[in-house]
Amino acid sequence: MMTEEELTEKRILLERANAEREAIFKRYDRGRKNIDIDAWDDPAFEIYTQADRYGFLHPEKEQLYRDDIEAARRKQIEIERTKKWLKMRNNWTSAETKERLQRRVMKGIPDRLRAAIWKLLLNLDQTLAENVGVYDKMLKFARQYSPDIRQIDFDVNRQFRNHINYRERYSVKQQSLFRVLAAYSMYNMEVGYCQGMSTVAGVLLMYFDEEDTFWALNALLSNERYAMHGLYVEGFPKLMRFLQHHDKILTKCMPKVKKHLDKHGVDSVLYSLKWFFVIFIERIPFSLCLRVWDIYMLYGERVLTAMAYTILKVHKVKLLRMKDMDQITEFLQTILYKNFGYDDDTVIKALQLAMFELKKLNLDKLPPAPVNEFPKVPFGQFIEPSLEAKIGHRNEKFTERETELKETVLYRSESKNGADDEGDENGRGDHVARNGHHRDENGDEDDRTERDCDDITEEDDAYSNLNTGVSMSSLRTIQSFTTLDTSTSLATSLNSLVIIDSFDENCDNMIEEITRL
């Protein structure tokens, strides 16, 4: 029972939270008419020289590679495929379309038809017809009650800041993204809002309008083919299942790579969060990411495990040549996003083979989901948030699931780091023999020649002399779990891993702009 003084304090805090939420909504209502847009929120375009076909802006130092002959050839192929896809779209339920759909999805959906085909794959027309007025209703609830508005506002401003449609503060796309996430925080109140959702919704908004994006996001979370609800719900149970299954695949199919990663303390949690959490966005080139999304829309979650396996498999030789955690995580988190090393068609063919291989081994699907991954209440059922949630205070104690997740990650990280330290004491300096031949983990000479590794990039050579033991990015990852205090939930800490790279990039852009001034 609260005292009169405590009740008065709570009432004041609630009024302050309500006023803050309403002020945020009003800023998005005004859009670009806001007069108090900060320079950092709305950086100038001068440092950018060109945009790619998807709307992403590239600095002068990252000139886009263009092969005019190859570009013309691919353009002609896409035109021919567009004609075939138009015919399929117009006869979507026919037996002929069903027969050809899988093969053509693997070859790639033409970008100009991607919105229409995704809409069909997600069955959005039927969903919209069955839920007239629901989106507007949820948006009104969000304006009155959503406890996630402050965090959504913060994340909208840092989502895809190198994209022409998201770069300007309170732009049309930022307004739409804010409203979609705010409304969904009321429609699926078990999840509310989780930061990875802004990335997924941001990509959907590149192809859909606002309400279609809302229902597409809901399809990805609620449809059993994707079931992303389990990724974002409290405790992140599906993320843990993905990580465990990924480790099982590596142990079975690539034991040498698994042993190499373990030796250097590279737990899968350090490099694969964005692979599973946001469907490879900002971990592989965007054109390739869209091809993966096409296949994911058709086949569902087993595409994620197969693509994770494919990335490590096609880069197996490079990874085995890398000397420490920093080099490996930098390669998997950053370098592959800028330059994957193979064209999109080659990677998709490798993905097809990986899906077939894993299916043959009965490893293509995750183990059965526990009950805590599924929604406990129907979506759209409004439950008024508690007073503490309205005010915005964090829980002072971790839930049982959060504590279990924290302990699991700590145990995995500490075990791998301990094994790495023991390995360093027993064989430091013996990795390369005096005659210049590389040695494997057992000290035996590696019989691979230089020709086997001709595809190692200049970036690999630049990193080859590093032996820091723990990377800064990995330190940030581990610290996110080990420095938790009572004012921050584990959900916030894990979510921060998903956006840490984009935050670093924003800082780099800001420093570059200051330097220019």
Side-chain angles (χ1 to χ4, degrees):
M1 187 72 178
M2 287 190 289
T3 65
E4 185 66 30
E5 183 179 349
E6 289 173 332
L7 284 171
T8 302
E9 182 181 352
K10 292 285 187 182
R11 193 179 302 113
I12 293 172
L13 290 173
L14 179 59
E15 291 174 358
R16 188 180 301 167
N18 290 339
E20 179 188 45
R21 183 172 58 251
E22 180 61 25
I24 292 172
F25 264 95
K26 285 182 177 179
R27 286 202 295 272
Y28 281 94
D29 291 341
R30 290 192 294 267
R32 293 293 296 169
K33 294 180 181 179
N34 281 285
I35 61 174
D36 57 345
I37 298 176
D38 187 85
W40 186 85
D41 288 338
D42 197 15
F45 282 90
E46 283 76 13
I47 64 172
Y48 292 97
T49 58
Q50 57 189 324
D52 62 27
R53 66 177 298 190
Y54 303 107
F56 286 95
L57 300 164
H58 296 268
E60 185 176 358
K61 62 184 179 181
E62 296 179 8
Q63 290 290 333
L64 293 177
Y65 172 76
R66 287 198 176 101
D67 183 328
D68 293 337
I69 297 177
E70 176 64 16
R73 185 187 71 83
R74 294 188 66 81
K75 184 176 180 180
Q76 185 59 38
I77 291 174
E78 185 162 329
I79 291 173
E80 294 299 322
R81 286 180 178 169
T82 299
K83 295 175 184 178
K84 296 176 181 178
W85 274 99
L86 281 170
K87 184 178 178 180
M88 283 177 53
R89 186 193 66 175
N90 295 333
N91 299 278
W92 188 251
T93 59
S94 69
E96 183 181 7
T97 295
K98 293 178 181 178
E99 179 183 345
R100 298 177 177 179
L101 182 61
Q102 294 184 5
R103 185 176 70 256
R104 288 187 176 167
V105 166
M106 286 294 182
K107 291 182 178 180
I109 301 173
D111 198 57
R112 69 186 70 183
L113 289 177
R114 188 162 267 125
I117 302 304
W118 282 5
K119 197 170 184 178
L120 288 167
L121 291 172
L122 295 173
N123 198 25
L124 293 189
D125 285 336
Q126 179 180 340
T127 303
L128 285 162
E130 294 173 352
N131 293 277
V132 176
V134 172
Y135 174 67
D136 291 333
K137 181 181 177 182
M138 293 301 114
L139 196 55
K140 290 178 181 177
F141 278 147
R143 191 158 195 153
Q144 289 180 278
Y145 301 106
S146 178
D148 300 308
I149 295 304
R150 181 169 54 185
Q151 186 64 51
I152 292 172
D153 173 49
F154 185 65
D155 291 342
V156 164
N157 189 32
R158 60 186 179 185
Q159 190 60 60
F160 297 130
R161 285 178 61 84
N162 61 334
H163 192 279
I164 194 167
N165 289 333
Y166 288 99
R167 185 164 175 77
E168 289 186 331
R169 189 65 171 121
Y170 303 113
S171 64
V172 172
K173 283 295 184 184
Q174 280 203 10
Q175 289 175 295
S176 294
L177 182 57
F178 171 80
R179 288 193 288 262
V180 166
L181 296 172
Y184 199 75
S185 71
M186 289 285 98
Y187 186 72
N188 182 351
M189 297 193 69
E190 285 183 68
V191 168
Y193 169 69
C194 182
Q195 287 173 317
M197 294 165 61
S198 64
T199 306
V200 174
V203 172
L204 293 172
L205 263 173
M206 295 178 191
Y207 291 93
F208 295 140
D209 64 24
E210 197 173 300
E211 188 170 1
D212 284 356
T213 296
F214 175 87
W215 291 113
L217 180 64
N218 181 62
L220 294 180
L221 268 76
S222 62
N223 190 307
E224 63 180 11
R225 185 188 302 170
Y226 320 105
M228 294 182 73
H229 179 91
L231 280 174
Y232 301 131
V233 78
E234 178 187 337
F236 310 100
K238 190 167 187 177
L239 177 61
M240 301 309 296
R241 266 204 310 144
F242 266 124
L243 295 173
Q244 291 165 1
H245 192 63
H246 177 66
D247 287 343
K248 183 178 179 180
I249 290 173
L250 292 189
T251 301
K252 175 74 174 179
C253 303
M254 289 196 293
K256 191 170 184 180
V257 171
K258 181 67 167 67
K259 185 177 179 181
H260 183 69
L261 296 177
D262 289 348
K263 174 185 175 182
H264 294 293
V266 184
D267 192 289
S268 54
V269 74
L270 298 181
Y271 61 81
S272 65
L273 282 178
K274 275 195 174 182
W275 292 2
F276 303 126
F277 220 57
V278 293
I279 322 174
F280 296 94
I281 299 169
E282 296 178 339
R283 281 294 178 264
I284 58 178
F286 192 69
S287 61
L288 176 58
C289 189
L290 289 175
R291 295 283 298 275
V292 173
W293 275 53
D294 292 341
I295 303 168
Y296 178 65
M297 295 285 187
L298 179 62
Y299 289 98
E301 62 185 26
R302 66 192 185 100
V303 174
L304 303 189
T305 55
M307 186 60 190
Y309 173 51
T310 300
I311 291 175
L312 299 182
K313 188 173 183 179
V314 299
H315 294 292
K316 176 180 177 180
V317 174
K318 276 186 181 178
L319 289 168
L320 290 173
R321 291 293 190 188
M322 294 180 184
K323 306 293 194 303
D324 55 46
M325 177 191 285
D326 190 64
Q327 192 177 1
I328 295 170
T329 54
E330 177 75 8
F331 179 73
L332 293 173
Q333 292 180 351
T334 305
I335 294 176
L336 289 183
Y337 175 54
K338 297 177 180 178
N339 179 13
F340 196 82
Y342 299 91
D343 64 82
D344 295 353
D345 289 335
T346 299
V347 179
I348 296 302
K349 288 177 182 176
L351 173 59
Q352 281 183 274
L353 292 174
M355 291 174 68
F356 177 78
E357 179 184 350
L358 294 178
K359 185 175 183 179
K360 193 174 180 180
L361 295 170
N362 200 27
L363 290 171
D364 58 323
K365 297 180 180 178
L366 295 173
V371 293
N372 61 335
E373 287 190 19
F374 300 106
K376 296 181 177 64
V377 296
F379 289 175
Q381 180 176 315
F382 176 70
I383 303 172
E384 186 169 346
S386 65
L387 181 60
E388 288 74 16
K390 289 180 181 178
I391 292 172
H393 284 180
R394 298 289 185 184
N395 292 329
E396 294 185 357
K397 295 183 179 179
F398 295 128
T399 66
E400 183 178 343
R401 288 293 301 160
E402 288 179 333
T403 303
E404 180 183 345
L405 177 60
K406 176 186 173 184
E407 290 175 351
T408 299
V409 174
L410 282 174
Y411 175 77
R412 288 162 66 119
S413 299
E414 289 171 359
S415 297
K416 299 300 166 52
N417 288 335
D420 191 22
D421 292 341
E422 183 179 349
D424 288 343
E425 291 175 4
N426 294 332
R428 191 180 302 275
D430 290 335
H431 186 72
V432 179
R434 291 186 179 181
N435 61 4
H437 290 247
H438 289 268
R439 296 182 179 271
D440 63 18
E441 291 84 353
N442 298 319
D444 298 326
E445 287 190 6
D446 191 342
D447 57 1
R448 288 172 295 181
T449 64
E450 290 184 6
R451 293 186 61 185
D452 295 324
C453 302
D454 282 342
D455 61 340
I456 295 180
T457 62
E458 293 180 2
E459 287 90 344
D460 295 332
D461 295 332
Y463 288 110
S464 63
N465 293 323
L466 292 177
N467 191 21
T468 56
V470 179
S471 67
M472 290 305 296
S473 60
S474 300
L475 274 174
R476 287 197 300 268
T477 301
I478 296 170
Q479 287 171 348
S480 296
F481 292 101
T482 58
T483 61
L484 304 175
D485 58 31
T486 56
S487 63
T488 306
S489 71
L490 181 59
T492 302
S493 299
L494 183 53
N495 290 339
S496 70
L497 305 183
V498 180
I499 50 79
I500 189 79
D501 298 310
S502 59
F503 179 76
D504 290 343
E505 183 179 350
N506 292 341
C507 291
D508 292 341
N509 292 341
M510 183 168 61
I511 292 170
E512 185 172 350
E513 290 183 66
I514 293 171
T515 304
R516 286 174 58 84
L517 294 175

